[in-house]
Structure formats: structure tokens, C-alpha cells
Amino acid sequence: MDHFPTSWGRPRNEAYDAFNTYPLHQRPNHSKDVFADGVQRTQQPIVTGTSVLALTYKDGIMMAADNLASYGSLARFKSIQRLHAVGNSTVLGASGDMSDYQYIQTLLDELVIDEFTANDKHDLGPAEIHEYLSRVLYSRRSKMNPLWNSLLVGGKKNGKRFLAYVDLLGTTYSASTIATGYGAHIAIPLLRKAIEGRENTLTEAEARSILTEAMRVLFYRDARSLDKFQIATVNDEGVSISETITLETAWGFAEGIRGYGAQTQ
Amino acid sequence: MISLQAHTLLMVESSRQGLLSLEIENSGTAIGLRVKDGIVLAVEKLIHSKLLIPEANRRIQSVDKHIGMATAGYQADGRILANRARDEALSYRSSNRAPPPLQDVVMRLSLYVQAYTLYSSVRPFGCSTIIGSLDSSGPALYIVEPSGIAYGYHGAAVGKGRQLAKTELEKLKLSELSTREAVIEAARIIYLVHDDNKEKEFELEMSWIGDETDGIHLPVPKDLLEEAEQKAKDALENFE
């Protein structure tokens, strides 16, 4: 608090004296105005999850995400579930800030309960959940306080498959196979090659092996990834999220590379 | 009838309360059973007009995934109470990140109901509420009365036929029944307390929370409801 009455209700410019209250007393010299920086909002994600992959196949959609939440480059939490069932026909996969993701989970759980208690024989499908999330994320970015996530929403309702993306800006798009984060660079070419044109013939087993292969490639190339991941499936039977799957990897080739691991010379 | 009630509601507190309780006593019976692995709620919904759509104006409502309630008395008041209970359940969820135990919801709800007995500017709630849930600590069942009193029960009955229903509930070994068996018994009791000669048509409304519903409050499935109704009718013939 500035206790000098001549400082009250004035511009913060020391040199300007609009009220001509000359002679001025010595005004306290604030080196920094505490309000000058304004309110601080999320500037960067802190604890993060890496890529989420998803594809459509014959009976529905499938999604995969590993179990890691990183703190910067530190592999901080190694058994985090990044796939979340919303209602009976939708699954949500999140990359980006994990605390924002947990907040989104509580938002959605409240939404689903609200719809459930209405008891009107209607429930939210993947399209509605995706639309809701896109409105939430866009409104938050417009408040300059984004929820720092890239989300995939997938599901199947009334025989219709749905798969779409929404990110921290509220940007949305839909495709037969989508990936977030590093996966958008590394896995998308693999997934598109395997899926496009075959959405209606691909079996569950094939879809699963395609996703596993893409997750393996990502584990080799993405330094923020983990070899433990889960697969979520949505088909006519509803949502099921698998137990943690551990990737089998071979690092024998590394032995011959100089500057990689323990070298004797 | 309605305007007469509305008029007399403006009279002094005691007669006002009397009228409200009369409304509850004349309303279709609602019962609740707390059994081994769950809760069953059943309501005798009197149909005052043939023009009404079947299954409209439900008297059993969901408060949360695992909490259901049935009311007897003014339906409009029952809906207000359900909305309040939902808000309380949601508020518990957002502060604790966990599903609310029924006792907490009932305590908050009864406090709300009691507040409406304190002021001359508002009338008390014209409905008795049976509220039940199933969670990790097992099944729970309460009645919240217009006075704000709330007690826990093994078997609960409110509305017109509550005396007979209570007698029937006392005959059951509630803690040994499964929810499926309790559905049959609940239907039987509702059919038993319904007075065919005096009353209008009625619709049996039932919901349950149990292992079979994964701890979620759901309407009893159609086939089971029909089976229960058939058995209730058979039992009634043998009874008479």
C-alpha cells in the first residue's frame, strides 16, 4: 500500500503530474509495481503425458497410450492411466498436462452423473463428449488460461464409429486414424499406411497388432515414452480398457554403436 | 380440491402441517427394502387420468449413480428435494473426489428440509422421502420426513398404505434376501396394500441398486418387473 495521498488515483508514471500538486514530496520509489505483470496463467505444462494413438477398425475404435507421466525429462510416474472411459460408449485419451487431464476427468464424471440422474433414457455419446470438450478447451484458451492437453475422443454409439481430436486451442478434427504429440510425427505415417481404405475390414486382432507395432516404434524413438501401455477398445459391447501391456524390445544393435552405452575405448 | 388446499395452506402453522401430512397420508404407498446386497424401491403410483402417458411423472428419481429416492406426497416437492439432493451429492464429490456416502447426503438434505419449518414465509415440504444407496460400506436406507427428521431403516414405508406395508416388511428376513428376491417381495407388498375398491388405477414403479446393477441405481428391467407383477397378482389371489 502506498500511504502517500499524492500517489493515490494517479497514473503510475513518476514523471507525469496531471494534478499539478507541485511541490511534490519525495514519492517512494517502487522499483517494481506488483501488479505490472498481471495475473499469471499456465505458461507451460508441468507433468506431461506423451502421444496417444487411435484408429478405427471394423467393429469400432481402438486407442493406445503408455503409462508414463514425465516431469520434464524425468520419467516421474510410471503407472499412470491416460485412457478414461466416459459413459458406456466413449473413451478419452490424453496427452499434455496430467493435472489438467485429471481436472477434465472430474468435469466429465460430473457431466455423466448429471445426465444419468436426469433419467430420460438418453446418454452422451462420443460426438457429444467431443463437442463438450471442444467448447471447454476453446473457452479456456479464450480466457488466456488454456487446459494444456491434446485429447482424443473415440467411441461407438448407435452403430456409428466416432474418432476426433481436440487440443488446448479448441482446434478439432476428425480422421480414421489420429495421433497426438510425438506420435503425430512418427506413428501417423505408419498408421495411415496400415489403416486408410481398410477401416471397414480391419479385424480387432489386426488393429491391436498395428497399434502395438506403432507403440513399439514410438518407444524406440520417443525419449518421453515408456514400454508399458494400455489399449482401449470401444465396440458394440461397450468400452474396455486393457491391463498394462509390456512391449518386447531388442537393444542388441546398440552394442555396436560407438558413443551409446558403456564403451571400453 | 386443489384451490381449497392452496387456500388453507395460508392458515396457521399447525393446521398447515396437518394438511401437508394429510397429503402424504393420501398419496400412493412407497416402500424401500434394504437387503443383503442392495436396495429395492417400489412405488404405487396412482393414475388419476387415463390420458396420462404410461411411465410419465416418475416418483422414483436418481440422486447420484449409487443413490435413488422415492417420494410420497406432493410430486413437485419431491422433485425439488431430488434436485437439492443431487446438488449436495455433487458438492460432496467436488470437495472429496469420491462418491458421497448416503449418510452425508441425508444429513444435508434433512437440514434443508428442516429449514422450511422455521419461517412463516415458507411452508414445509409436503412429501416424505425414502432414500437408499449401495456403496463400499454396504446398503443404506433412510426416510427423510417433512419435519427434517431422518432415520435409517431396514425396511421403509410411506404414504397411504404404510401401516400394512410395515407389517408385511416386518415379516421378511430382510438381511437374508437377495435384491432379486426383494423385487418380488416389494411388488407383492405394493399390490397387497393397494385398495382396488376405493382407489383408481395404479402403476407399479420399481428401481434397484445391487450387485446385479454394478452398484448403480437403475429401474428394474422390464422382464423382471413383469415377472414380479405376475407373482404379486398370483399371491394376492391366494391371499384372498
Side-chain angles (χ1 to χ4, degrees):
Chain A
M1 174 74 195
D2 188 344
H3 294 278
F4 295 94
T6 44
S7 304
W8 297 351
R10 296 169 141 280
R12 289 188 179 129
N13 188 342
E14 303 282 299
Y16 178 68
D17 181 23
F19 303 98
N20 266 317
T21 49
Y22 187 81
L24 284 172
H25 63 80
Q26 182 73 44
R27 291 177 66 191
N29 184 24
H30 296 298
S31 56
K32 194 181 161 211
D33 182 349
V34 286
F35 294 114
D37 289 338
V39 181
Q40 297 291 300
R41 258 76 79 96
T42 309
Q43 305 274 318
Q44 59 183 333
I46 307 296
V47 176
T48 59
T50 185
S51 333
V52 183
L53 314 181
L55 54 81
T56 45
Y57 72 103
K58 186 161 66 85
D59 307 321
I61 70 105
M62 209 178 263
M63 202 180 277
D66 69 22
N67 289 320
L68 178 66
S70 309
Y71 181 62
S73 61
L74 173 72
R76 180 67 182 82
F77 304 103
K78 299 210 274 190
S79 55
I80 295 295
Q81 191 182 116
R82 298 198 288 123
L83 300 171
H84 176 64
V86 186
N88 306 317
S89 54
T90 311
V91 70
L92 169 73
S95 51
D97 194 279
M98 287 293 104
S99 60
D100 284 350
Y101 169 54
Q102 288 177 348
Y103 169 69
I104 289 170
Q105 280 180 315
T106 61
L107 274 189
L108 289 176
D109 287 345
E110 278 175 17
L111 182 74
V112 166
I113 289 168
D114 203 30
E115 289 294 322
F116 171 80
T117 54
N119 206 220
D120 54 5
K121 289 173 186 158
H122 294 282
D123 59 350
L124 297 176
E128 290 81 20
I129 301 286
H130 177 258
E131 185 63 27
Y132 173 81
L133 282 175
S134 76
R135 290 351 289 157
V136 170
L137 268 66
Y138 178 71
S139 99
R140 287 292 296 263
R141 85 102 220 196
S142 300
K143 291 170 184 160
M144 298 289 279
N145 190 195
L147 292 169
W148 215 286
N149 295 103
S150 295
L151 305 171
L152 294 190
V153 180
K156 190 176 192 188
K157 198 186 172 197
N158 302 331
K160 268 189 168 165
R161 293 171 299 183
F162 180 92
L163 181 59
Y165 166 96
V166 57
D167 67 11
L168 75 170
L169 302 174
T171 317
T172 61
Y173 78 97
S174 184
S176 61
T177 175
I178 312 181
T180 69
Y182 205 63
H185 301 95
I186 298 288
I188 273 290
L190 302 171
L191 292 173
R192 284 189 182 158
K193 198 173 171 188
I195 276 101
E196 281 185 354
R198 302 213 295 137
E199 290 88 352
N200 300 322
T201 52
L202 216 60
T203 66
E204 185 168 332
E206 283 173 315
R208 195 174 290 273
S209 85
I210 290 167
L211 272 185
T212 309
E213 198 48 41
M215 289 304 286
R216 193 184 341 267
V217 172
L218 274 174
F219 177 59
Y220 277 129
R221 315 229 86 127
D222 179 2
R224 305 284 165 268
S225 68
L226 198 66
D227 57 351
K228 290 195 302 180
F229 72 104
Q230 282 169 292
I231 290 183
T233 317
V234 191
N235 50 29
D236 289 325
E237 275 81 65
V239 184
S240 70
I241 297 177
S242 77
E243 290 298 303
T244 291
I245 303 162
T246 306
L247 284 167
E248 284 183 19
T249 45
W251 295 92
F253 66 88
E255 297 293 322
I257 306 173
R258 276 191 62 82
Y260 198 105
Q263 302 286 325
T264 50
Q265 51 193 2
Chain B
M1 183 70 184
I2 298 294
S3 67
L4 179 69
Q5 277 175 358
H7 177 73
T8 25
L9 278 175
L10 297 170
M11 289 164 58
V12 285
E13 189 66 25
S14 58
S15 70
R16 194 166 74 163
Q17 296 250 13
L19 258 175
L20 286 166
S21 60
L22 206 68
E23 180 67 27
I24 299 167
E25 279 160 29
N26 280 330
S27 144
T29 318
I31 59 172
L33 286 76
R34 177 188 150 179
V35 293
K36 193 172 57 185
D37 63 336
I39 295 289
V40 173
L41 298 175
V43 165
E44 168 206 17
K45 188 169 72 190
L46 298 174
I47 305 297
H48 62 268
S49 161
K50 286 197 162 137
L51 298 174
L52 279 168
I53 298 165
E55 290 177 39
N57 304 321
R58 290 183 63 87
R59 279 177 51 195
I60 297 180
Q61 300 171 86
S62 293
V63 171
D64 200 319
K65 278 195 169 176
H66 63 297
I67 304 175
M69 63 184 255
T71 54
Y74 283 131
Q75 276 205 54
D77 286 16
R79 279 196 284 271
I80 295 287
L81 275 189
N83 271 328
R84 179 68 184 198
R86 278 171 205 147
D87 287 350
E88 295 293 358
L90 195 65
S91 120
Y92 184 98
R93 266 182 194 271
S94 44
S95 23
N96 298 290
R97 288 256 176 111
L102 187 61
Q103 190 176 356
D104 294 63
V105 176
V106 165
M107 284 305 153
R108 294 186 190 188
L109 193 65
S110 58
L111 232 51
Y112 179 72
V113 169
Q114 192 267 345
Y116 277 74
T117 66
L118 294 173
Y119 308 100
S120 60
S121 52
V122 290
R123 64 165 175 80
F125 279 91
C127 63
S128 281
T129 309
I130 300 177
I131 182 163
S133 87
L134 177 66
D135 57 28
S136 51
S137 64
L141 186 71
Y142 289 81
I143 296 181
V144 181
E145 284 167 35
S147 59
I149 271 178
Y151 288 129
Y153 290 88
H154 281 288
V158 293
K160 192 184 276 180
R162 69 190 178 289
Q163 285 307 343
L164 183 51
K166 278 184 204 168
T167 320
E168 286 299 312
L169 284 168
E170 280 168 16
K171 289 180 195 165
L172 300 172
K173 288 184 171 158
L174 287 166
S175 54
E176 290 169 22
L177 285 179
S178 73
T179 22
R180 192 167 272 272
E181 290 162 344
V183 166
I184 307 289
E185 295 296 340
R188 184 180 61 78
I189 293 171
I190 291 293
Y191 268 83
L192 182 67
V193 301
H194 178 74
D195 192 344
D196 263 337
N197 306 321
K198 266 197 219 157
E199 285 161 1
K200 315 137 201 163
E201 292 280 291
F202 82 104
E203 201 175 282
L204 176 64
E205 201 179 304
M206 283 208 287
S207 73
W208 60 345
I209 320 168
D211 293 342
E212 284 189 62
T213 69
D214 282 332
I216 294 173
H217 177 242
L218 291 175
V220 169
K222 225 174 196 139
D223 51 344
L224 180 57
L225 187 68
E226 277 163 13
E227 183 196 333
E229 281 189 296
Q230 194 51 52
K231 282 191 177 160
K233 284 173 194 162
D234 295 346
L236 209 57
E237 274 167 27
N238 296 334
F239 189 76
E240 283 160 358

